[in-house]
Amino acid sequence: MPTTLLDTWQKLVRAEPHARAVIEAAGGKVFTRAELAARAEAWQAARTESLNRQRVVFALPNGAAWFEVFLGLLQAGAVPAALDASEPLAAQRELAHTVGASWLWFDGRLEKISAPRRPRRHDICLVKITSGSTGAPRALPFTHAQILADGRQVCRTMGIGPGDLNLAVVPLGHSYGLVNLVVPLLAQGTPLVCASAPMPHALAADCVRWRPTVFPAVPVLLRALAASDITAEALRSLRLVISAGAPLPAETAQVFFEKSGRRPQAFYGTSETGGITFDRKGEATRLGRSVGTPLSGVRLRFGRGSRFEVVSAAVCKRGKHSPADRGKLDEQGELVLLGRAGRMVKIAGRRLDLTEIEAALRRVPGVRDALATPHPAQPDELAAALATDLSAGALRGLLRERLAAWKIPRRIVVLPAFPLTARGKTDTRALKKLLAR
């Protein structure tokens, strides 16, 4: 069996060189495996720099050029670290320094960031860069074996095969994109179509023309599709709709199901662990019950305080990791997330779990999402941002029926929808800035 991601890809190219690999929906261009491989070889051959085992940061949109650079770096013996294409150049340079990269690829050339560092391991495949939503960005190195294990566990659990066609909207370099889009192509030949635009009508048109079967989505896309006037017929080719990157409200899942006839299926994981659980039938997602059961090859071990440990061949470093999330297994063996650890605060002299407050706020009819935090000016009070069409006054009336007075946020900011990061996650920093005004 091939031992590296590059080995698996080259074996696929030799087996079926003319099989389609990447489709760029915007221009209608179809790249075969052989064409993609040739572009990567040309990219690598044009390099005079010594990149062996050096970290190289790059930021490109989804498309053949992304794979050209990624595969070219692997062929050069480098360790690629992908950023979102939306990152400005100054931020790319800063992140490259932060994660210890020696080079930055941009505008068709390599820029030296620091002196080459002596790498410790020979088997590192790539580096994931965390979003930094809860702290400073970090570099997470993964071996070829770990990346391949993650992709295989996901494909086996979700039933994704070489005959499928992935609809690529999420960034390829994001942990979600790597395991659901990049590895399926390079490890088993599952092609992908890069969406022309992340907008409902554009996605519908791409589905009608290219007939993708699998759609790795994020909640904001599913919400937009559910609210649009597109028909179920436009999405008929999709047999599997996955939701990851952020919690999917049950209300959104239900509306999308009614609109399209397809049940979104929750997929939960972290950058450190790769995939953890998947809702195999979509019913748990539609009812807001859980994020599904562990993937094939993944074990969960529970300790005190609802903390749990993920054990699998895909986990970086030691093969086991405890996420910041707390959780429990229900009677069906499904993982129910209980919020993030370390969110206890003191309000009016009493300890309060912000996660429990957010859960109570989300149960209010008409509230789609909630963020609770200590009041920026009055630490003994709460503040909350709510995604809803209700007014702050109407919300207070509803909250008085559900929460003790000291648990009701003193400051409430109402938004139609929460702002999102480039990776499709709730932008908590932006929300806290709004609450501080």
Side-chain angles (χ1 to χ4, degrees), residues 3 8 93 104 141 160 171 176 181 187 194 212 232 273-274 293 317 322 324 436:
T3 57
T8 64
R93 289 194 176 108
L104 169 67
I160 299 171
Y176 184 17
L181 299 170
C194 299
T273 63
T293 52
K317 297 184 180 179
S322 294

Side-chain angles (χ1 to χ4, degrees), residues 132-151:
S133 59
T134 57
R138 294 180 299 124
L140 301 173
F142 281 79
T143 67
H144 289 272
Q146 289 163 344
I147 289 297
L148 284 167
D150 196 13

Side-chain angles (χ1 to χ4, degrees), residues 282-297:
E283 197 65 12
T285 309
R286 188 178 67 85
L287 299 175
R289 189 173 68 210
S290 75
V291 289
T293 52
L295 299 180
S296 173

Side-chain angles (χ1 to χ4, degrees), residues 246-321:
L248 178 67
E251 177 186 353
T252 301
Q254 177 63 29
V255 173
F256 183 86
F257 172 58
E258 294 170 355
K259 177 88 174 183
S260 67
R262 304 290 185 273
R263 286 186 176 90
Q265 294 170 249
F267 173 41
Y268 166 66
T270 70
S271 295
E272 293 86 353
T273 63
I276 300 175
T277 64
F278 179 62
D279 177 16
R280 287 162 167 81
K281 296 182 178 179
E283 197 65 12
T285 309
R286 188 178 67 85
L287 299 175
R289 189 173 68 210
S290 75
V291 289
T293 52
L295 299 180
S296 173
V298 174
R299 289 187 296 122
L300 302 182
R301 298 196 299 214
F302 287 81
R304 295 180 179 178
S306 302
R307 293 300 299 273
F308 62 93
E309 187 175 62
V310 181
V311 182
S312 92
V315 179
C316 70
K317 297 184 180 179
R318 299 174 299 162
K320 55 185 179 181
H321 176 77

Side-chain angles (χ1 to χ4, degrees), residues 351-382:
R351 292 180 64 80
L352 182 67
D353 189 338
L354 293 175
T355 298
E356 292 181 7
I357 292 297
E358 289 172 350
L361 293 173
R362 292 190 185 103
R363 286 195 292 269
V364 175
V367 172
R368 293 181 286 274
D369 209 347
L371 173 78
T373 184
H375 194 291
Q378 302 174 49
D380 208 34
E381 300 280 357
L382 284 176

